[in-house]
């Protein structure tokens, strides 16, 4: 009897040992596998491609965390709605101020300067808001170009004879449309309005009417230079933008207003699309003084070279090309050819 019990205990112990060994072979945490794993996985490590993780690492590794999450569509829609409301308020108040100043200063001859001051202020404030939507708000490029086109149409319809661009004023002075003294006063009004707009826009953003405004306020209203090219290339881009816009404005003066407005807005949107990634495509010295000069990344002289000298040379190139060079070439081509008379042979 005792012999049978001992034999059964021995068989049960052997059975339990075999079952433990079998379980250990299939268990991922067993010591047997830890001893066998280096030998089995070593060839896999040698032939494993660095770009593709193994199955085990995919199971154990946590899902990657995205560095920059996309903003919810609802927040972006709310920011766009608030910015459009701000643009509408700026244009409405500027239009009211223009009409009031025209009536009050018409007899004194100062209405033209008041209109220039208010219109340039409107242009700079609206551009500040659109720039914030594009750079900080991260709206789609198509939507940003649509807003650029619409605001160009609005500015052209509401400026009431104002130019809003020092390069355009110099072009008017060159063609004797305005006196030199009037041109200097207009340019002074434009830069003064640009400086006032630069100081006014942070006050509007500080009200925190949208999440975008609050975010920009927390960043200290900081902006970075939009120049993403060497200075000479950036100046050439601004030159080309100013040349294209000035050419269209010059040749569209005799066109009806309902067509001229859209032609100018179209070329402005086109040059913004083409040169916006290099310099921001400002092509306006006063506007650049308000929107680009406060940004960090370049010196004051760099900004002067790109945003002042570039547009000025672009305007001058357009004027010289279509006022001097092309008419001279046309006159030469229209001159009749004088063939020398054949001389009679002497007998």
């Amino acid at each position: 009897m005792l012999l049978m019990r001992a034999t059964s205990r021995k068989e049960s112990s052997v059975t339990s040992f075999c079952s433990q060994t079998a379980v250990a072979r299939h268990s991922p945490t067993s010591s047997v596998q830890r001893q066998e794993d280096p030998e089995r996985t070593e060839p896999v490590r040698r032939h494993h491609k660095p770009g593709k993780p193994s199955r085990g690492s995919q199971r154990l590794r946590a899902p990657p965390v995205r560095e920059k999450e996309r903003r919810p569509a609802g927040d972006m829609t709310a920011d766009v709605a608030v910015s459009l409301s701000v643009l509408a308020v700026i244009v409405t108040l500027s239009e009211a101020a223009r009409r009031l100043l025209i009536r009050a200063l018409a007899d004194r001859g100062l209405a033209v300067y008041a209109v220039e001051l208010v219109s340039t202020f409107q242009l700079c404030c609206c551009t500040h808001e659109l720039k914030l939507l594009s750079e900080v708000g991260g709206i789609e490029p198509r939507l940003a170009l649509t807003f650029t086109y619409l605001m160009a149409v609005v500015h052209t319809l509401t400026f009431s004879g104002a130019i809003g661009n020092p390069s355009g004023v110099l072009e008017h002075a060159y063609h004797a449309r305005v006196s030199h003294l009037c041109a200097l006063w207009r340019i002074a009004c434009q830069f003064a309005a640009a400086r006032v707009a630069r100081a006014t826009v942070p006050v509007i953003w500080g009200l925190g009417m949208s999440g975008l405004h609050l975010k920009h306020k927390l960043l200290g209203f900081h902006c970075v230079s939009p120049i993403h090219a060497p200075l000479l290339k950036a100046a050439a881009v601004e030159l080309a933008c100013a040349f294209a816009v000035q050419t269209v404005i010059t040749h569209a003066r005799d066109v009806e207003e309902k067509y001229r407005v859209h032609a100018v807005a179209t070329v402005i949107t086109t040059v913004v699309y083409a040169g916006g990634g290099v310099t921001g495509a400002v092509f306006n010295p006063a506007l650049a003084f308000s929107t680009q000069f406060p940004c960090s990344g370049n010196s004051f002289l760099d900004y002067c070279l790109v945003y002042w000298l570039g547009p000025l040379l672009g305007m001058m190139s357009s004027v010289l090309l279509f006022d001097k060079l092309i008419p001279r070439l046309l006159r030469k081509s229209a001159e009749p050819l004088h063939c020398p008379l054949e001389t009679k042979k002497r007998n």
Side-chain angles (χ1 to χ4, degrees):
M1 189 70 178
L2 294 174
L3 181 60
M4 293 176 63
R5 289 180 179 177
T7 305
S8 62
R9 289 178 182 176
K10 185 176 181 179
E11 291 177 355
S12 62
S13 62
V14 172
T15 305
S16 63
F17 176 77
C18 294
S19 63
Q20 290 176 3
T21 306
V23 172
R25 288 179 181 177
H26 297 283
S27 175
T29 58
S30 64
S31 60
V32 178
Q33 186 183 9
R34 284 195 294 266
Q35 294 177 0
E36 295 178 355
D37 280 345
E39 298 178 358
R40 295 181 179 179
T41 57
E42 185 64 21
V44 178
R45 292 179 182 176
R46 291 177 182 176
H47 300 285
H48 178 64
K49 295 182 179 181
K52 297 182 180 180
S54 61
R55 295 181 179 178
S57 61
Q58 289 179 353
R59 293 176 181 175
L60 299 177
R61 188 177 298 173
V65 179
R66 296 179 180 178
E67 295 181 359
K68 185 177 180 181
E69 298 289 342
R70 291 185 178 181
R71 297 179 58 198
D75 295 345
M76 185 173 295
T77 303
D79 293 339
V80 171
V82 172
S83 295
L84 291 179
S85 301
V86 171
L87 293 175
V89 171
I90 291 173
V91 173
T92 303
L93 294 179
S94 299
E95 182 64 19
R98 264 189 298 266
R99 295 184 179 184
L100 182 63
L101 291 173
I102 288 174
R103 294 178 182 177
L105 302 175
D107 298 336
R108 302 180 182 180
L110 300 176
V112 61
Y113 305 115
V115 170
E116 197 72 52
L117 189 70
V118 174
S119 299
T120 308
F121 176 82
Q122 171 187 322
L123 173 65
C124 294
C125 288
C126 293
T127 306
H128 273 289
E129 190 67 26
L130 291 178
K131 181 184 177 185
L132 179 66
L133 269 178
S134 178
E135 295 181 358
V136 182
I139 61 175
E140 295 182 359
R142 292 179 297 178
L143 188 59
L145 291 174
T146 303
F147 291 156
T148 301
Y149 178 85
L150 293 177
M151 292 311 301
V153 172
V154 170
H155 293 326
T156 308
L157 291 176
T158 60
F159 267 23
S160 301
I163 300 174
N165 190 336
S167 299
V169 174
L170 293 177
E171 187 266 336
H172 278 65
Y174 173 79
H175 289 105
R177 297 190 185 97
V178 296
S179 64
H180 297 290
L181 182 60
C182 179
L184 292 177
W185 277 109
R186 282 195 170 193
I187 293 174
C189 291
Q190 290 169 357
F191 278 99
R195 186 64 184 89
V196 173
R198 187 203 297 183
T200 303
V201 170
V203 177
I204 299 175
W205 292 335
L207 299 177
M209 292 182 288
S210 66
L212 179 61
H213 291 175
L214 288 175
K215 179 181 178 180
H216 198 45
K217 181 181 179 181
L218 292 176
L219 295 175
F221 309 115
H222 179 72
C223 65
V224 182
S225 173
I227 299 177
H228 302 293
L231 293 180
L232 293 180
K233 181 179 178 180
V237 170
E238 288 292 316
L239 185 151
C241 293
F243 177 87
V245 174
Q246 182 61 48
T247 301
V248 172
I249 292 176
T250 302
H251 290 81
R253 284 197 175 100
D254 298 332
V255 181
E256 294 184 22
E257 185 179 7
K258 60 181 180 179
Y259 302 118
R260 183 178 68 252
V261 169
H262 294 284
V264 174
T266 300
V267 71
I268 289 175
T269 307
T270 303
V271 298
V272 169
Y273 172 77
V278 181
T279 62
V282 184
F283 52 88
N284 185 332
L287 181 60
F289 179 73
S290 180
T291 59
Q292 311 298 347
F293 276 58
C295 298
S296 61
N298 289 91
S299 64
F300 181 81
L301 293 178
D302 294 340
Y303 289 132
C304 291
L305 173 65
V306 175
Y307 295 113
W308 284 2
L309 184 61
L312 181 61
L313 293 178
M315 181 274 298
M316 293 174 58
S317 301
S318 177
V319 170
L320 293 177
L321 177 63
F322 292 100
D323 286 1
K324 300 294 183 180
L325 184 59
I326 292 181
R328 182 175 298 178
L329 294 176
L330 292 177
R331 284 195 301 268
K332 286 184 178 181
S333 62
E335 291 178 357
L337 297 177
H338 299 284
C339 298
L341 296 176
E342 294 182 359
T343 57
K344 296 182 179 181
K345 295 183 180 179
R346 295 182 180 179
N347 295 329

